[in-house]
Amino acid sequence: MSGITRRQALGITASAAAGLAVAGAARSYAQAEEPQGRHRPTGEPGSFDEVYLGRRIQGGPTGGHGGGHHGDHGDGYAVRIDGDELHIMRNADGTWISVINHYEPRATPRAVARAAVAELQGAVLVPLAPSPSAA
Amino acid sequence: MAVRKNQAQLTADEKRRFVAALLALKRDGRYDSFVSTHNDFIMSDTDDGDRVGHRSPSFLPWHRRFLIQFEEALQSVDPAVTLPYWDWTTDRTAASSLWAPDFLGGTGRSRDGQVTDGAFAASGNGWRINVRVDGRDFLRRNLGAGVRQLPTKAEVDSVLAMSTYDMAPWNSASDGFRNHLEGWRGVNLHNRVHVWVGGHMATGASPNDPVFWLHHAYIDKLWTQWQTRHPGSPYLPTSGTRNVVDLNDTMRPWGNVTPAAMLDHTLYYTYDTAA
């Protein structure tokens, strides 16, 4: 039976994404894969999961709690490269940047993830938690 | 009183002492604390939340205070050292003396972006990248790759002509001088230079590259030039603005510095040429 409602499906997606963000595990977003914008009528980007230049890049909403588990701002959306979180930020005009390319906005989180992969040249991401001076 | 000079005019001895002071701060750990502070603010300053160091009116006074603090640290090593500035409208190619081995070293090699000459190459002086966003611990650059051209003098002049300091919503969407100088809108000055240098300068941990200080010393000089051109234009906003540092609000991380206290640079340093 396909009794699961659209709202429930969204809730599950959000919980899975939030759990992934907290656990730091490289879990698949495959179940959350939807065409861009299909469940996001407000224009927020949908999820993605692909291999780009040999690296797995994933992105998806975090359920509206932001990416603030280490004190920064993911604007309710998280991006991972081979399971490691890439710090991203949304600009007021809807463009995105990451800590790897912080001065060059791009149109979508996927474009930001791809730019980071190109810049990394195979290097692993290092999680950078802000120190208390910014708190 | 410190006199900040155009980097192109430095003598061989001034370059040597500036580089030696940088290396000394790196060795004793103070350099990396500046990188950490900058990255903290880069990551926490947001368009719809609290914003202090970037994408906000206090971008300019915050970096002025940050550079003064760094310059004082350099002077604790060698009192004769001051921060030079890089006028990238003039010295706009990788062939500039700025990038010579006796000063900052050149661009990174193609294979991995690693800077291989000068005092900040991985080999030799211990310029290890400790505060970093990825696994690589060597300084990287890719001059002119992320964007082909540095801003021109005409583009700078077009921004200096803007008579309003900053405008609501006081973030990366704002019109006005501050945001056009910062580069989130319009011809893009400050942000574009970070992208042009590439490597660490394109990341949140951009002060890992010593050119950060020379770039921001010139941005700071442009603020002064703007003040000279528009003597009747005040810092904005003046009071009661949510998430934003008003004229007389204190700025993190210092807690005792206001934008108002940063408006007159001559209390701290002067320039080799009239602004």
Side-chain angles (χ1 to χ4, degrees):
Chain A
M1 134 183 181
S2 61
I4 186 167
T5 66
R6 185 181 171 92
R7 182 181 297 273
Q8 285 168 330
L10 280 171
I12 288 165
T13 299
S15 301
L20 184 149
V22 170
R27 287 171 56 183
S28 174
Y29 275 102
Q31 292 155 303
E33 276 283 70
E34 293 287 349
Q36 291 271 330
R38 184 166 159 188
H39 281 175
R40 289 271 165 175
T42 58
E44 292 180 24
S47 301
F48 65 89
D49 186 342
E50 69 179 27
V51 175
Y52 181 73
L53 299 181
R55 311 283 296 265
R56 185 172 194 180
I57 56 174
Q58 297 163 285
T62 55
H65 298 295
H69 53 283
H70 54 77
D72 54 356
H73 298 257
D75 293 308
Y77 197 95
V79 167
R80 293 183 173 275
I81 298 177
D82 291 340
D84 296 318
E85 185 170 357
L86 173 70
H87 178 265
I88 59 165
M89 184 182 291
R90 178 162 39 188
N91 295 317
D93 67 358
T95 59
W96 298 77
I97 54 174
S98 83
V99 74
I100 299 285
N101 297 96
H102 206 92
Y103 302 91
E104 192 176 12
R106 288 176 167 82
T108 64
R110 187 199 300 255
V112 162
R114 287 177 171 177
V117 165
E119 183 66 22
L120 284 168
Q121 294 187 288
V124 296
L125 279 176
V126 171
L128 249 183
S131 60
S133 68
Chain B
M1 176 71 70
V3 178
R4 293 190 181 173
K5 300 175 184 172
N6 187 321
Q7 61 79 26
Q9 307 299 325
L10 296 185
T11 66
D13 186 57
E14 286 169 333
K15 291 180 187 179
R16 188 185 55 74
R17 294 176 76 154
F18 177 66
V19 167
L22 288 168
L23 294 173
L25 290 187
K26 183 70 169 177
R27 277 193 300 274
D28 71 21
R30 279 187 284 173
Y31 192 95
D32 285 347
S33 72
F34 283 93
V35 184
S36 290
T37 296
H38 186 268
N39 191 65
D40 290 347
F41 279 84
I42 274 275
M43 288 171 60
S44 65
D45 295 325
T46 59
D47 277 336
D48 58 358
D50 202 24
R51 48 196 184 275
V52 180
H54 306 85
R55 57 181 69 235
S56 61
S58 47
F59 167 70
L60 290 169
W62 190 92
H63 281 85
R64 175 164 285 177
R65 180 66 184 86
F66 192 54
L67 263 63
I68 290 169
Q69 187 179 12
F70 185 74
E71 190 170 51
E72 289 172 350
L74 289 172
Q75 290 167 349
S76 75
V77 174
D78 182 345
V81 170
T82 62
L83 283 181
Y85 60 87
W86 168 31
D87 176 353
W88 25 253
T89 69
T90 302
D91 298 303
R92 44 188 304 104
T93 75
S96 162
S97 60
L98 173 66
W99 309 110
D102 69 338
F103 201 13
L104 300 190
T107 194
R109 63 187 181 190
S110 60
R111 175 159 63 83
D112 58 3
Q114 182 170 168
V115 171
T116 57
D117 68 347
F120 310 102
S123 57
N125 292 301
W127 196 266
R128 182 175 185 270
I129 306 300
N130 300 307
V131 181
R132 57 188 194 263
V133 295
D134 61 60
R136 294 167 291 183
D137 66 356
F138 49 85
L139 180 63
R140 291 178 295 110
R141 287 185 192 129
N142 204 352
L143 302 183
V147 58
R148 225 161 54 80
Q149 297 290 342
L150 288 163
T152 63
K153 181 77 165 59
E155 287 170 331
V156 166
D157 285 341
S158 73
V159 172
L160 291 178
M162 297 175 177
S163 59
T164 303
Y165 177 76
D166 205 346
M167 300 165 80
W170 318 109
N171 62 18
S172 74
S174 291
D175 202 350
F177 169 69
R178 186 276 309 168
N179 197 37
H180 279 81
L181 178 60
E182 189 169 0
W184 300 110
R185 272 189 76 162
V187 296
N188 185 359
L189 303 181
H190 155 268
N191 282 355
R192 197 200 322 180
V193 175
H194 277 274
V195 174
W196 186 89
V197 175
H200 285 101
M201 269 290 274
T203 74
S206 48
N208 273 309
D209 190 328
V211 81
F212 173 92
W213 309 104
L214 286 75
H215 172 36
H216 271 279
Y218 187 58
I219 293 294
D220 187 84
K221 186 169 188 285
L222 291 178
W223 183 22
T224 295
Q225 289 177 220
W226 177 85
Q227 289 174 309
T228 304
R229 225 181 262 206
H230 305 279
S233 297
Y235 175 93
L236 295 171
T238 51
S239 66
T241 316
R242 181 176 150 80
N243 290 331
V244 170
V245 181
D246 293 317
L247 177 65
N248 293 302
D249 290 346
T250 57
M251 295 185 286
R252 288 183 290 114
W254 307 287
N256 59 353
V257 180
T258 62
M262 288 291 109
L263 298 180
D264 181 4
H265 73 282
T266 64
L267 299 173
Y268 306 94
Y269 52 87
T270 58
Y271 287 106
D272 53 350
T273 55

